[in-house]
Amino acid sequence: MLLSLVQHIACAPIPYDGFFDEKNELPPFLRDPLVGVIGETCYVSLVEDFHVTDVSCLKYAASKVLGLGIVFGSAVIKVPQMITILTRRSVKGLSLTSYYLETYAYIIILSYNIRQQNPFSTYGEVVFIASQNVLITLMILWYGRPAGTAQLDAPMAWTLAVNFVAFVASFWVLLLPTWVPFWLLAFLYASTIPIILASKLPQIYSNYKYQSTGQLSVFAVFNYFAGTTARVFTTLTELDDPLMLAGNVFASVLNGVLVFQVYRYWQRPIEPSVSPTDGGSKAD
């Protein structure tokens, strides 16, 4: 039956001369968003003229779709990690040093992209990841406090407030050309490559040392790896920026190591005697 249907379609007459030469006109409410994503030239080529062999536009469209997918996925990428911390009231296995380094690295990356006026689809996930990292860092400080500490004493309130203000102030300062000239911002951006490396290494070492991933979110680890790997492709396609490419490649490799550790140490508990965070405090 399927074969006869295909033969019937193949033998069907062309409705009229020039049928395949017509442009595929979409209504404005569909056309305008597509043009905004892939640009006028690629929209005309892929949609109106239906040139499915236009490799450059196909790669560009795929890059845009991947980029937007990464951005939307990053909006919730660390929510499972935060839920895990809140429900278990524990930060065992999470590295405070890793989150400090990673958060400040993402603040620099975000500032660099905004100053460069790069397309939002090439860096949008940084907005969400940096924001969620700030919250998780504060949660590590809170739930990693020594056992028996008052719910919110003055030193803890001061610690949380100072850290939050430091995150916001550093981002604000980096956006000011009069305070941070672009050459200095570019240098700081280049430094995020070793910072990203350094931010992953304490977590990788902690996992290896205790043969466990503790409260590390499996969802976040796998999505981080998928996002950074896809970002390598989008950077190659849309930007001519070796610094961004190198950073994404290194991040993808290290996230791959974390994926392997999650597989290797899946559901192994941390011994009660070990310290849950870099500071050595014990979270109940």
Side-chain angles (χ1 to χ4, degrees):
M1 181 181 292
L2 181 60
L3 180 60
S4 62
L5 178 61
V6 171
Q7 291 175 339
H8 176 74
I9 294 174
C11 295
I14 298 175
Y16 49 84
D17 291 338
F19 175 77
F20 290 109
D21 296 326
E22 281 193 347
K23 290 185 178 292
N24 301 308
E25 299 287 351
L26 295 179
F29 72 91
L30 291 177
R31 182 186 188 280
D32 293 345
L34 285 174
V35 170
V37 172
I38 64 175
E40 182 73 29
T41 301
C42 286
Y43 171 82
V44 171
S45 176
L46 296 177
V47 180
E48 292 189 353
D49 296 336
F50 202 60
H51 289 163
V52 293
T53 57
D54 189 340
V55 177
S56 61
C57 277
L58 285 173
K59 287 176 62 178
Y60 184 75
S63 175
K64 284 294 186 182
V65 171
L66 273 175
L68 292 174
I70 294 169
V71 172
F72 289 128
S74 67
V76 297
I77 190 171
K78 297 212 170 186
V79 170
Q81 182 68 79
M82 290 187 280
I83 292 174
T84 299
I85 295 172
L86 289 171
T87 54
R88 300 182 183 179
R89 303 179 67 82
S90 171
V91 290
K92 289 181 179 179
L94 298 182
S95 169
L96 180 60
T97 300
S98 287
Y99 272 95
Y100 268 135
L101 291 172
E102 187 179 81
T103 303
Y104 280 110
Y106 276 119
I107 287 173
I108 294 171
I109 293 170
L110 179 58
S111 304
Y112 176 85
N113 279 278
I114 292 174
R115 293 268 296 267
Q116 279 284 75
Q117 298 183 338
N118 287 331
F120 185 74
S121 63
T122 63
Y123 73 91
E125 74 277 5
V126 179
V127 177
F128 299 106
I129 294 175
S131 302
Q132 293 169 74
N133 269 2
V134 169
L135 292 176
I136 292 175
T137 302
L138 298 179
M139 292 170 75
I140 292 175
L141 291 169
W142 173 250
Y143 287 108
R145 67 194 188 280
T149 304
Q151 285 297 309
L152 186 61
D153 55 10
M156 177 54 65
W158 178 253
T159 298
L160 296 175
V162 167
N163 276 273
F164 179 76
V165 171
F167 287 136
V168 175
S170 59
F171 173 60
W172 179 74
V173 168
L174 289 171
L175 292 178
L176 300 176
T178 53
W179 287 32
V180 181
F182 188 75
W183 67 264
L184 177 56
L185 183 60
F187 173 78
L188 291 173
Y189 183 84
S191 73
T192 63
I193 296 175
I195 290 176
I196 289 292
L197 289 172
S199 74
K200 300 294 182 183
L201 293 178
Q203 186 66 67
I204 291 172
Y205 175 72
S206 176
N207 296 341
Y208 172 76
K209 179 179 180 180
Y210 302 124
Q211 300 288 291
S212 171
T213 54
Q215 307 305 322
L216 193 64
S217 169
V218 177
F219 175 86
V221 169
F222 275 92
N223 277 273
Y224 248 143
F225 175 65
T228 51
T229 304
R231 186 54 78 199
V232 172
F233 173 76
T234 64
T235 304
L236 281 170
T237 304
E238 296 186 53
L239 299 175
D240 183 18
D241 194 325
L243 285 177
M244 288 191 68
L245 179 61
N248 288 323
V249 169
F250 283 123
S252 178
V253 171
L254 291 179
N255 284 327
V257 174
L258 286 172
V259 167
F260 173 76
Q261 288 186 322
V262 166
Y263 167 77
R264 182 72 175 80
Y265 307 134
W266 176 249
Q267 291 186 338
R268 289 189 186 180
I270 292 182
E271 295 299 325
S273 60
V274 304
S275 178
T277 63
D278 298 323
S281 58
K282 183 177 180 179
D284 295 323

